[in-house]
Amino acid sequence: MKMAQRKGSQLLYVSSAHEQFFRGLVHGARSLGFEHCCYMIGVPVEGEGWRHVMMSNLPWAWRERYSRKGFHAIDPTVQHARQASRALVWSADQFNAAPLRELRRGLRGIGYNHGWSQPLRDVDGRFGLLTLARGETPVGADELREKSQTLRWFAQAAHAVLFRTLLARCQDGILGHLTVREIDILRMAADGRTALEIAAAMGVTERTATFHISNAIEKLGAANKAHAVACAMRLGLLD
Amino acid sequence: MKMAQRKGSQLLYVSSAHEQFFRGLVHGARSLGFEHCCYMIGVPVEGEGWRHVMMSNLPWAWRERYSRKGFHAIDPTVQHARQASRALVWSADQFNAAPLRELRRGLRGIGYNHGWSQPLRDVDGRFGLLTLARGETPVGADELREKSQTLRWFAQAAHAVLFRTLLARCQDGILGHLTVREIDILRMAADGRTALEIAAAMGVTERTATFHISNAIEKLGAANKAHAVACAMRLGLLD
DNA sequence: CGCCCCCCTGTCAATCCTTGCAGTTAAATT
DNA sequence: AATTTAACTGCAAGGATTGACAGGGGGGCG
């Protein structure tokens, strides 16, 4: 059973509400004196290492390059987020090791020189990482004392709102896509309807309803309908 | 079947993570120049009108009084939130109508004179309402222009993080409490385990597991297990 | 045109869920 | 001391779910 990524499929769960939320976050970051803002999540995948998805106001070219070059594998802020849960204040100048050269050049190129990165970890080893950064002034001790509480809260808010969505986007490559029909039916199942009722509501046979349900169960790696509903909700597919 | 509120029962879902989040919000409100911060949700209940739950940094005495006197029934900001979705800028001075006298006096007493209230509504008629307020200076047009985006984002963040929890706290009085056992079992059901597996994991009979499940289904007003799991997740009982 | 995917349908058997019935026990509340 | 509640157990009938086998029709893509 292969779960390779497909091209033409639309990403149903990419909601503009989260984009809007992120724009608000960017605005808040600006008012704190950081022009760049990046929220990233990391998910451990057995055999494959890590998967990352990010949401940022950085140039598309840079995001593409970051992903293509696999910078997340060497990025010190990401390394830090894997283990620690305290914030990291950094400057690109510190990225001296040979493998980091190219990353440092890239960061300088986009004015991403000095920053503050707050990790947030969950029980399954997944983590979220909010980074605010700017081009010119390093983050000083005084500034940190003054803003750290707000910064932490920003991270908490970003994590609370964006994590699930990005996780869904991340799992997507792993799990394969749920079809429109499958999501429709899962939504009705979550509302307590039986296969027969769903079939009636959708104008198909009971058999067809159960067919879509079992496909959804298989794609989500669930054990049964209740589990599939829970998985889908956790992934934010039924909002 | 009565669902009266009981005293001794613990509220399992009151998590300190949300309290912490709210403290961050209060801090953010302060940095915007508002010392008071109140997030409230309203839920329509058939035959009973409305139920409200709030989270605020106001004095406990005032919260108690607000609730006892039923101020939420006449509070203009709440009235506004029921219908509109745009923000309301208000001053307590405007609360001139006779029934509002006592409310106005109370608000003045706690230095809650000038404020900004952003409603957020959902499809089921429920609403959330974030109010930031202060004692002295009215909210001016310039200030509003400057801060409105941040304010809206605060409301969005508060809503995204706090709504579910408060809803659970609100439904609690309506639905009656789920017992520890029922929540345990729902959690395992959400992980895809059958009644037999749950029973084995908990060291009880299959009959007992099904017994708890059906109780949970009844208390949540669900149609079946999948629905109950979905309800519990939406209420934030399974996080 | 072939290939793949999505959507649709059928049957059948094993298993699971749901809901009746009727209890016991321990602990907390009144 | 009486009452209420949570947790627990048994039996049984009927409905719902799940999985496996076996297909047809339509659309996109190379």
Side-chain angles (χ1 to χ4, degrees):
Chain A
M1 182 198 315
K2 61 180 170 180
M3 288 294 185
Q5 298 183 1
R6 293 163 234 173
K7 287 181 274 181
S9 315
Q10 70 275 40
L11 301 176
L12 293 167
Y13 40 73
V14 171
S15 101
S16 66
H18 295 104
E19 306 285 350
Q20 195 189 332
F21 177 89
F22 189 78
R23 278 197 295 276
L25 179 61
V26 169
H27 187 270
R30 283 227 181 83
S31 71
L32 281 177
F34 294 89
E35 63 259 32
H36 299 307
C37 181
C38 173
Y39 180 71
M40 173 193 282
I41 72 164
V43 180
V45 186
E46 66 268 59
E48 227 186 303
W50 290 80
R51 259 166 195 276
H52 301 82
V53 188
M54 66 165 72
M55 202 174 215
S56 71
N57 65 341
L58 300 174
W60 278 101
W62 170 254
R63 300 190 220 187
E64 199 275 323
R65 186 172 159 214
Y66 188 95
S67 155
R68 186 167 33 83
K69 297 270 188 176
F71 280 151
H72 42 74
I74 57 165
D75 188 329
T77 65
V78 176
Q79 305 269 324
H80 178 259
R82 282 213 232 293
Q83 299 145 18
S85 50
R86 261 184 302 186
L88 175 72
V89 176
W90 51 267
S91 286
D93 308 333
Q94 300 159 356
F95 302 169
N96 285 320
L100 297 180
R101 289 265 177 77
E102 197 182 347
L103 175 60
R104 187 178 57 185
R105 257 203 314 279
L107 292 174
R108 280 180 178 158
I110 56 171
Y112 201 87
N113 291 317
H114 310 286
W116 168 93
S117 296
Q118 172 70 58
L120 285 148
R121 314 175 48 70
D122 79 358
V123 278
D124 298 323
R126 302 179 290 215
F127 66 89
L129 172 65
L130 179 69
T131 299
L132 306 189
R134 63 189 172 207
E136 293 307 326
T137 327
V139 182
D142 289 347
E143 182 188 10
L144 199 60
R145 203 170 21 252
E146 182 193 339
K147 297 179 180 172
S148 69
Q149 198 173 351
T150 309
L151 289 168
R152 261 203 309 281
W153 185 70
F154 274 32
Q156 208 178 355
H159 196 67
V161 178
L162 301 175
F163 187 84
R164 270 163 35 121
T165 312
L166 291 196
L167 181 58
R169 203 179 289 188
C170 189
Q171 303 280 38
D172 185 78
I174 303 169
L175 299 173
H177 298 262
L178 291 182
T179 68
V180 187
R181 240 9 187 199
E182 283 154 5
I183 292 180
D184 284 347
I185 282 189
L186 274 181
R187 189 174 289 116
M188 288 197 254
D191 288 340
R193 314 212 203 173
T194 67
L196 194 59
E197 291 166 338
I198 293 173
M202 291 185 27
V204 296
T205 324
E206 182 182 7
R207 179 64 188 88
T208 304
T210 65
F211 169 77
H212 289 304
I213 292 174
S214 28
N215 284 342
I217 290 174
E218 194 185 348
K219 286 186 186 174
L220 289 167
N224 53 40
K225 201 169 65 171
H227 193 189
V229 165
C231 289
M233 292 197 80
R234 282 198 258 258
L235 288 172
L237 298 174
L238 304 185
D239 300 336
Chain B
M1 181 196 316
K2 61 178 174 205
M3 286 297 184
Q5 297 182 3
R6 293 160 235 176
K7 288 182 272 183
S9 314
Q10 71 276 37
L11 299 175
L12 292 167
Y13 40 72
V14 170
S15 102
S16 68
H18 296 105
E19 305 285 350
Q20 194 190 333
F21 177 88
F22 188 77
R23 280 198 294 276
L25 180 60
V26 169
H27 187 270
R30 283 225 181 83
S31 72
L32 281 178
F34 294 89
E35 62 259 33
H36 299 307
C37 182
C38 173
Y39 180 70
M40 172 194 283
I41 73 163
V43 181
V45 186
E46 65 267 57
E48 225 186 304
W50 289 80
R51 259 163 195 279
H52 300 84
V53 187
M54 66 165 72
M55 202 174 217
S56 72
N57 64 340
L58 301 174
W60 278 101
W62 170 254
R63 298 190 222 187
E64 201 274 322
R65 186 170 158 214
Y66 189 94
S67 156
R68 188 167 31 83
K69 296 270 187 177
F71 280 152
H72 43 74
I74 56 165
D75 189 330
T77 64
V78 176
Q79 304 270 323
H80 178 258
R82 282 212 233 293
Q83 298 145 18
S85 50
R86 259 183 304 185
L88 175 72
V89 176
W90 52 267
S91 286
D93 308 331
Q94 301 160 355
F95 301 169
N96 285 321
L100 297 179
R101 289 263 177 77
E102 196 183 346
L103 176 60
R104 187 180 55 189
R105 257 203 314 281
L107 291 175
R108 279 180 180 157
I110 55 171
Y112 202 87
N113 291 316
H114 310 286
W116 168 93
S117 296
Q118 172 71 56
L120 285 149
R121 315 176 47 70
D122 79 358
V123 278
D124 299 322
R126 302 178 291 214
F127 66 88
L129 173 65
L130 179 68
T131 298
L132 306 190
R134 62 188 170 207
E136 294 307 326
T137 327
V139 182
D142 288 348
E143 183 188 9
L144 199 61
R145 203 172 20 255
E146 183 193 336
K147 296 178 180 171
S148 69
Q149 197 173 352
T150 311
L151 289 168
R152 261 203 309 281
W153 186 71
F154 273 34
Q156 207 178 356
H159 197 66
V161 178
L162 301 175
F163 187 84
R164 270 162 37 118
T165 313
L166 290 195
L167 181 58
R169 204 180 287 188
C170 188
Q171 305 279 39
D172 184 77
I174 303 169
L175 300 173
H177 297 260
L178 291 183
T179 67
V180 186
R181 241 10 189 194
E182 283 155 4
I183 292 179
D184 283 349
I185 282 188
L186 274 182
R187 188 172 290 117
M188 287 197 258
D191 287 340
R193 311 210 206 178
T194 69
L196 193 60
E197 291 166 338
I198 293 174
M202 291 184 28
V204 296
T205 322
E206 182 183 7
R207 180 66 189 86
T208 305
T210 67
F211 169 77
H212 289 305
I213 291 174
S214 32
N215 285 341
I217 290 173
E218 195 186 346
K219 287 186 185 174
L220 290 167
N224 53 40
K225 199 169 67 171
H227 193 190
V229 164
C231 289
M233 293 197 80
R234 281 197 259 258
L235 288 171
L237 297 173
L238 303 185
D239 301 334

